[in-house]
Amino acid sequence: MKTLAIIPAGGSGTRMGGDIPKQYLMLGGLPILVHTLMAFQQASLVDDIYLVLPEEDVKAAPQKILSPYHLTKVNRVLTGGERRQDSVKRGVDLIGSDHDLVVIHDGVRPFISPATINAAIKEAARSQAVTVGLPVTDTIKKVDGHRRVSATVNRDQLWLTQTPQVFLASLLKKAYESAYADNYYGTDDAALVERIGEKVTMIIGSYDNIKITTAVDLEWGELILKTRQGRNAVSSQEAQSGDIGRCVK
């Protein structure tokens, strides 16, 4: 099955409080968006990528984003819409008959791993609709209009939803057609699929898979990156020690 990834990164980043859209802010020496795209470049089950950017950035993307980082799977750069769902729709409208599955992932979730991307794709090939997420661990309270607690919600069946989300291409197209026919906007793509009566399977994600939308998120992202780099350095040292040990023996 051939798989297309749609990466919406058309936001203005106003919550960051700066002039640079959040997808272009630097994280460990690379733009946030490049970290995200590199994960999809490395995911073996992703064949093609449609990147959705602000209109003013589309023309320069090949030279400034794609070529310098060898992002060869990106074969379309599209202009984003007014809202995230509108941006994703630009990619959905161009899905051809050669793509069986479609992955949608936020451009500002840079810590997604190729392994998780591949796992979601494999599950979607079986169940047609998948989202990545995490079980809720905090106690959840329902409040009234005055912020008084009206109930404590059973968290056993509650999950925090992330991306990527993966769908059978024909199912995603149907969900988008229905949503726009009724002028419906959901909080994620899975909501559109649920709305037409289809089941979405949840698979386990990662606490590292944060969405960077505020300055605090960026600080947290730098810490995650440093922690990962530290783990990789230790693993490399252990591998070298193992090689030396084998040589001595």
Side-chain angles (χ1 to χ4, degrees):
M1 302 182 82
K2 196 170 183 182
T3 302
L4 166 70
I6 299 174
I7 310 293
S12 61
T14 54
R15 278 180 282 181
M16 282 290 188
D19 297 328
I20 302 174
K22 56 184 178 289
Q23 61 269 32
Y24 305 129
L25 292 174
M26 301 303 283
L27 177 65
L30 295 176
I32 290 171
L33 179 58
V34 169
H35 284 281
T36 302
L37 292 171
M38 286 174 69
F40 281 82
Q41 180 74 28
Q42 294 164 13
S44 60
L45 298 183
V46 173
D47 298 290
D48 300 300
I49 301 172
Y50 290 175
L51 176 60
V52 189
L53 295 176
E55 183 178 5
E56 61 271 21
D57 300 333
V58 169
K59 188 175 181 179
Q63 289 184 332
K64 291 189 175 181
I65 299 175
L66 307 186
S67 295
Y69 303 103
H70 309 291
L71 298 168
T72 57
K73 288 185 181 180
V74 181
N75 50 24
R76 283 183 185 266
V77 182
L78 309 173
T79 299
E82 183 177 352
R83 297 160 70 173
R84 179 190 182 277
Q85 184 172 306
D86 299 322
S87 293
V88 174
K89 187 177 184 295
R90 301 284 173 90
V92 172
D93 287 344
L94 294 175
I95 297 171
S97 58
D98 55 333
H99 290 118
D100 306 291
L101 295 172
V102 181
V103 186
I104 301 171
H105 183 72
D106 300 319
V108 289
R109 286 188 187 269
F111 297 112
I112 189 62
S113 70
T116 299
I117 297 168
N118 285 338
I121 292 170
K122 288 178 182 178
E123 180 57 42
R126 291 189 289 266
S127 59
Q128 299 190 8
V130 169
T131 185
V132 170
L134 293 169
V136 169
T137 56
D138 292 329
T139 297
I140 305 297
K141 301 286 187 181
K142 182 179 179 182
V143 299
D144 62 20
H146 302 285
R147 283 185 278 179
R148 289 191 289 259
V149 174
S150 58
T152 298
V153 181
N154 185 345
R155 69 187 181 196
D156 291 347
Q157 295 180 320
L158 298 179
W159 284 56
L160 299 172
T161 307
Q162 304 175 339
T163 64
Q165 298 182 348
V166 191
F167 310 96
L168 194 68
S170 58
L171 178 60
L172 184 63
K173 286 182 178 181
K174 180 180 177 182
Y176 262 81
E177 288 170 2
S178 176
Y180 277 83
D182 297 334
N183 196 31
Y184 172 83
Y185 279 81
T187 54
D188 67 356
D189 303 286
L192 274 58
V193 172
E194 295 161 29
R195 182 175 174 271
I196 60 172
E198 299 293 337
K199 299 296 184 182
V200 179
T201 300
M202 182 79 74
I203 67 170
I204 195 75
S206 167
Y207 288 101
D208 287 354
N209 186 23
I210 64 171
K211 185 176 182 180
I212 298 180
T213 57
T214 68
V216 173
D217 296 331
L218 187 59
E219 291 176 5
W220 183 240
E222 291 285 0
L223 180 59
I224 292 172
L225 191 60
K226 288 178 182 177
T227 302
R228 285 188 169 190
Q229 290 171 343
R231 289 190 202 127
N232 291 338
V234 170
S235 297
S236 177
Q237 289 172 0
E238 289 176 346
Q240 290 175 9
S241 296
D243 290 341
I244 293 172
R246 283 191 292 271
C247 291
V248 170
K249 290 180 181 179

